[in-house]
């Protein structure tokens, strides 16, 4: 089975649009998301454009603040301070990566946790770690869980989940979410010994390493659910054109696994849908 992230994300956006309508009617609140983009990185510009389009499509207010690539850290902090105070703004996202002269950790810490729809602030990661309510949870990890449940149903209890990758954005938070779902969780990474054998234990395998087609068919248990978080640009051996591939050898692994997310069209579309979910959540909790 191929898990169609595009379709699942579209369904999620329909549900969000209905809730946005209901929130407007019951409380007079229209959720609003402001995205801050520093510089002109082409990939970031594409992401920001897609975010704005989808934010408006679900009936939310979308704002975009563009700052020049040479904008100072202080100027960005001043902008965030204004957004933190602005009661008409429910979600604030600073597009990453930032130019080298700006310290990302300082910027993430400067967004008020109640508006941190990326879920990167220590207050939100701490709440997720502690299993406390009110956490805004990082978007890509949320998307991974929703996609795994498409194949396995809502109860993931007792499944052995192996996460390859330990980043703050994907690996660590997705491991915590899987633990919350009562999975037995293994976090593997670049120093893990016998990675193939570790992966062979997985009922749910989450690949978030950033290495093109890294996970091979003989690493995967028959029937496993494989969630591929990777987005790698590589040259097609036949056509010579650039194409996107995941962290999993899709063709090989498809033959052994029970279900797999494609790249593109798997986890990617879920990330923005979950960003909209977090913006709605922020407006409901703190609006
Ligand atoms: N750049 C690429 N993905 C993301 C994301 O999920 N959040 C932010 N803030 N920047 C990104």
């Amino acid at each position: 089975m191929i898990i169609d992230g595009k379709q699942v994300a579209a369904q999620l956006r329909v549900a969000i649009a209905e809730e946005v309508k209901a929130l407007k009617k019951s409380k007079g609140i229209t959720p609003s998301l402001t995205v801050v983009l520093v510089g002109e990185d082409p990939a970031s510009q594409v992401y920001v454009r897609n975010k704005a389009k989808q934010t408006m499509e679900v009936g939310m207010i979308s704002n975009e603040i563009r700052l020049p690539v040479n904008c100072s850290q202080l100027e960005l902090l001043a902008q965030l301070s204004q957004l933190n105070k602005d009661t008409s703004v429910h979600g604030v996202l600073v597009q990453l990566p930032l130019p080298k002269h700006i310290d990302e950790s300082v910027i993430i810490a400067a967004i008020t946790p109640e508006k941190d729809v990326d879920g990167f602030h220590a207050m939100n990661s701490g709440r997720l770690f502690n299993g406390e309510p009110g956490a805004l949870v990082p978007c890509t990890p949320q998307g991974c869980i929703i996609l795994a449940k498409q194949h396995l149903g809502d109860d993931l209890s007792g499944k052995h989940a192996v996460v390859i990758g330990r980043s703050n954005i994907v690996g660590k938070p997705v491991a915590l979410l899987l633990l919350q779902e009562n999975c037995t969780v293994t976090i593997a990474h670049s120093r893990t010994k016998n990675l193939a054998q570790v992966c062979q234990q997985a009922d749910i395998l989450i690949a978030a390493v950033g290495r093109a087609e890294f996970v091979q068919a003989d690493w995967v248990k028959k029937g496993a659910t494989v969630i591929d978080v990777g987005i790698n640009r590589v040259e097609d051996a036949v056509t010579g054109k650039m194409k996107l591939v995941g962290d999993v050898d899709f063709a090989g692994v498809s033959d052994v696994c029970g279900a797999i997310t494609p790249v593109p069209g798997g986890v990617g579309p879920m990330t923005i849908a979950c960003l909209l979910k977090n913006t709605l959540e922020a407006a409901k909790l703190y609006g």
Side-chain angles (χ1 to χ4, degrees):
M1 172 196 182
I2 293 176
I3 305 171
D4 185 347
K6 241 170 121 170
Q7 193 196 337
V8 178
Q11 284 168 0
L12 182 55
R13 290 198 302 272
V14 168
I16 291 167
E18 278 170 19
E19 279 206 56
V20 169
K21 221 190 246 173
L23 188 65
K24 278 186 203 172
K25 209 169 162 190
S26 65
K27 297 237 173 83
I29 296 172
T30 304
S32 139
L33 171 66
T34 297
V35 173
V36 182
L37 175 61
V38 182
E40 292 178 8
D41 176 65
S44 291
Q45 286 182 333
V46 174
Y47 285 137
V48 168
R49 209 176 312 134
N50 285 337
K51 280 173 197 162
K53 180 169 169 277
Q54 296 188 25
T55 304
M56 290 185 281
E57 277 172 6
V58 297
M60 297 185 186
I61 296 167
S62 166
N63 291 307
E64 215 175 285
I65 294 174
R66 288 181 177 246
L67 297 171
V69 68
N70 60 356
C71 133
S72 72
Q73 182 163 305
L74 270 179
E75 283 169 309
L76 179 54
L77 288 172
Q79 184 62 251
L80 293 175
S81 168
Q82 266 188 24
L83 291 169
N84 285 343
K85 284 186 218 137
D86 185 340
T87 53
S88 72
V89 173
H90 303 107
V92 175
L93 179 148
V94 178
Q95 184 68 27
L96 304 176
L98 287 166
K100 287 203 171 43
H101 65 279
I102 299 178
D103 184 340
E104 282 184 3
S105 62
V106 171
I107 298 307
I108 289 167
I111 299 170
T112 192
E114 288 79 8
K115 300 187 182 189
D116 166 41
V117 284
D118 262 328
F120 294 164
H121 191 287
M123 183 67 81
N124 283 314
S125 41
R127 283 187 180 137
L128 172 63
F129 184 95
N130 291 342
E132 285 171 19
L136 291 168
V137 175
C139 304
T140 302
Q142 281 194 66
C144 291
I145 302 293
I146 296 171
L147 291 180
K149 287 182 172 178
Q150 286 293 309
H151 181 58
L152 295 168
D154 277 345
D155 184 10
L156 306 181
S157 299
K159 305 271 184 220
H160 190 164
V162 175
V163 179
I164 322 175
R166 53 175 158 177
S167 70
N168 288 343
I169 294 179
V170 183
K172 284 188 219 168
V174 83
L176 288 168
L177 288 176
L178 289 160
L179 195 57
Q180 240 170 44
E181 297 285 342
N182 303 312
C183 290
T184 302
V185 182
T186 301
I187 305 177
H189 47 78
S190 55
R191 305 284 178 91
T192 297
K193 293 206 170 80
N194 306 318
L195 181 58
Q197 282 106 305
V198 172
C199 292
Q200 282 160 6
Q201 307 299 309
D203 302 307
I204 301 169
L205 183 60
I206 308 227
V209 261
R211 294 175 65 172
E213 299 174 323
F214 181 60
V215 175
Q216 297 297 306
D218 60 355
W219 302 15
V220 175
K221 177 156 87 175
K222 194 165 168 40
T225 302
V226 179
I227 308 293
D228 189 349
V229 183
I231 300 178
N232 309 287
R233 207 169 283 277
V234 297
E235 195 179 303
D236 188 294
V238 180
T239 65
K241 285 188 185 156
M242 297 309 278
K243 62 169 185 178
L244 290 183
V245 298
D247 290 348
V248 177
D249 172 22
F250 184 86
V253 170
S254 298
D255 289 339
V256 264
C257 70
I260 185 166
T261 62
V263 177
V267 174
M270 293 301 292
T271 298
I272 298 185
C274 290
L275 174 69
L276 303 177
K277 188 164 167 276
N278 277 353
T279 305
L280 172 65
E281 186 75 5
K284 283 204 291 195
L285 284 172
Y286 308 112

